[in-house]
Every structure is written in C-alpha cells, then in structure tokens.
Amino acid sequence: MSLLENHLGISPQPPSQLRHSQLTDLVLWLLRQRRRFRIVGASMLPLLEPGMEVLINPFAYGQQRPQPGDLVVAEHPRQPGLLLIKWVVYIDADGCFLRGLNVVESTDSREFGLVPWVGLVGQVVCRLP
Amino acid sequence: MLNQAIAKLQAWFPAAAVHAHCDGPCGVYDPSSARIAAEAVLSMTKKLVDLEVPAGGDKAASVAYHNTFARYTAIKEEQAQITKDELLVLWTDYFKPVHLEQFPDLHDTFWKAAKLCSACKVEVSVQHANELMEAVQKIHGIFWATKNRDVSWYTAS
C-alpha cells in the first residue's frame, strides 16, 4: 500500500480486465451513444496495449460520479485538447485523482493533480472488438 | 464475421487517439541537484573558516590569501543560489496539493530551507551550512516518500 493510500485509508484496486465488445455496444456506437478511441502509448500496460481500440460512454458521468477503479478518458488539465486514458484512484470534492497502470511510463495526477469534473470525457466500457 | 466487419471499419475510419503515455515535459525531478550545491556551500564555508591569515608584510602571501578568500566566497555565494533555485523548482513545480495533505509541514520546510540558503550567502556560518544540509536531507526524504521509493541519503564529500 502506498503512502498516499495509507494516508487516505483506502486501497483502490486498479482495473485488471476490460471485456470485448458485444452487439449491443456496436448498436450503441452506431446510435452515437459510444465514442471510439485508439490507444497511443504504454502507460496503461498490461491492460491496454498501444493500437488497441476502446469504446467509451460519454454520458456515464452525467448523473453520477466516477467510482475508484473506473477506466476513464479525460482531458489533460494543463494541455487542452490532449485526451488521456487513465484509471480513477479516488474521488475528491473538486475532481478525481487519475493514474496510469504502468506508473513508470505514466504522466498522471501525481504530476498534474486532480482532474476537474468538466475534464472527464467518459467511461471506458469495452475494447473494440 | 462481426469482428471482420469491425476490423474493416477500423481500417477505413481511424479512431481518435487517446493518450496513455508520458506527454512531456517529462517532469524529471531529483533533490540530489540541491544536495550537491548545498554540499559545496558547506565545503566552501568550512574552507573559509579554516583559511589562515598570512603573516604581516608578506605581500605575495597576502595577495594569494585574498584571492583564495574571494574565490571561496564567490563559489559559496553561487552554490547557495543554485541550492535555492533547485529547491524552489521542486517546491513550486513538483509538489502538488495532494503532497501537502501527506506532509502538512511541506511549505514550512521549503520556506526555512530557502531562508537558510540566504543565510549561507550572507554569513560564513558552518552551523547554518550544516542546517541547510539537514533541510535538504529532510526534503530528500519527503520527495522520495511521495514517489513511494526508498532512496537512501548519501553525500559526495
């Protein structure tokens, strides 16, 4: 357990699996209820490999807040337009703390701090295909 | 068959990129640069205190003494400023609010360390130079703790 987690008294589990897409996901994508992204970079290894595609639900956090362990796409707080894929470590009043899975390769909230709610683009729901 | 159709769609219509990488500037920080400069400050301070004043009337020895004294002072001044700059970069660029929760005396630690850099410039004080080293060591401990890494403290001299 890291010092941070120790301090907060929590030990969030990083996501270890991401299911494949089903017909429903494709229909939702065609109905523009899902967005498609391609992974660039190695910070989410071993779960997400560079070149892999995922579908995200851009409406997942309209009504509810993300949960620790969620895979999310978010905008870099200091580089508008740069979209990042990370996992949620914990939720705060002002935003959420994001981290890569492969921490050595990752630029994340350890460096740029909390990502505000408006910076969240959506929740990753499955890989494609 | 469905997967083949998806593969074709993927080939025809490239998806937008989402980054799972270090986007640079990569944020390479290490308190060892402050430590090296602080060590130089301590070393120069000790050398200044130990420097023997030459006997009166020996002009050449007097010139050499003043030259050496001036050089030691200039290096002490320069290295204390480098220590301060390195510490301020760590304080303002590396450390984030989440670290402050973890180490509530972070601001006080850096403020006192920066003040010690100034004291080491103004004075020739072995005590303050040693206190500066202790402050840098404390920051070393905090810094590596935020990275969950056990990096032992060492000095070059």
Side-chain angles (χ1 to χ4, degrees), chain A residues 4 7 26 30 33 37 40 46 72 82 95 101-102 124 127 129:
Chain A
L4 170 68
H7 171 72
L26 298 174
L30 292 171
Q33 300 301 299
F37 286 102
V40 176
V72 297
L82 183 73
L101 289 173
N102 177 6
V124 179
R127 60 184 81 206

Side-chain angles (χ1 to χ4, degrees), chain A residues 2-4 7 26 36-44 53 73 76 79 82-85 90 105 107 111 128-129, chain B residues 2-3 6 9-10 13-27 94 96 98-99 101-102 145 148:
Chain A
S2 73
L3 277 170
L4 170 68
H7 171 72
L26 298 174
R36 195 180 132 220
F37 286 102
R38 180 175 42 86
I39 312 295
V40 176
S43 86
M44 291 298 279
E53 290 195 5
V73 169
H76 192 296
Q79 292 184 42
L82 183 73
L83 296 181
L84 306 170
I85 185 163
Y90 69 87
E105 288 262 352
T107 298
E111 193 171 318
L128 182 70
Chain B
L2 188 60
N3 283 358
I6 292 169
L9 274 173
Q10 286 174 318
F13 307 105
V18 66
H19 295 266
H21 74 157
C22 178
D23 48 75
C26 255
Y94 171 73
K96 302 288 181 291
V98 66
H99 300 135
E101 291 173 19
Q102 204 177 340
N148 295 318

Side-chain angles (χ1 to χ4, degrees), chain A:
Chain A
M1 187 186 284
S2 73
L3 277 170
L4 170 68
E5 288 152 11
N6 205 6
H7 171 72
L8 295 167
I10 52 166
S11 181
Q13 288 298 310
S16 58
Q17 291 183 339
L18 185 64
R19 66 176 177 83
H20 288 274
S21 58
Q22 296 163 354
L23 191 58
T24 325
D25 300 303
L26 298 174
V27 172
L28 287 168
W29 173 48
L30 292 171
L31 293 172
R32 299 184 179 274
Q33 300 301 299
R34 297 286 182 267
R35 285 176 69 186
R36 195 180 132 220
F37 286 102
R38 180 175 42 86
I39 312 295
V40 176
S43 86
M44 291 298 279
L45 282 172
L47 183 63
L48 305 176
E49 291 168 20
M52 180 193 277
E53 290 195 5
V54 293
L55 291 180
I56 75 157
N57 177 4
F59 310 106
Y61 303 129
Q63 299 293 321
Q64 58 185 16
R65 292 280 154 94
Q67 301 292 313
D70 280 4
L71 275 173
V72 297
V73 169
E75 193 173 41
H76 192 296
R78 295 202 300 261
Q79 292 184 42
L82 183 73
L83 296 181
L84 306 170
I85 185 163
K86 301 287 167 190
W87 71 279
V88 177
V89 180
Y90 69 87
I91 322 290
D92 198 79
D94 303 320
C96 48
F97 191 93
L98 305 181
R99 241 173 129 155
L101 289 173
N102 177 6
V103 290
V104 177
E105 288 262 352
S106 177
T107 298
D108 49 38
S109 285
R110 291 169 301 160
E111 193 171 318
F112 52 65
L114 294 174
V115 172
W117 302 120
V118 291
L120 282 178
V121 177
Q123 182 183 13
V124 179
V125 290
C126 63
R127 60 184 81 206
L128 182 70

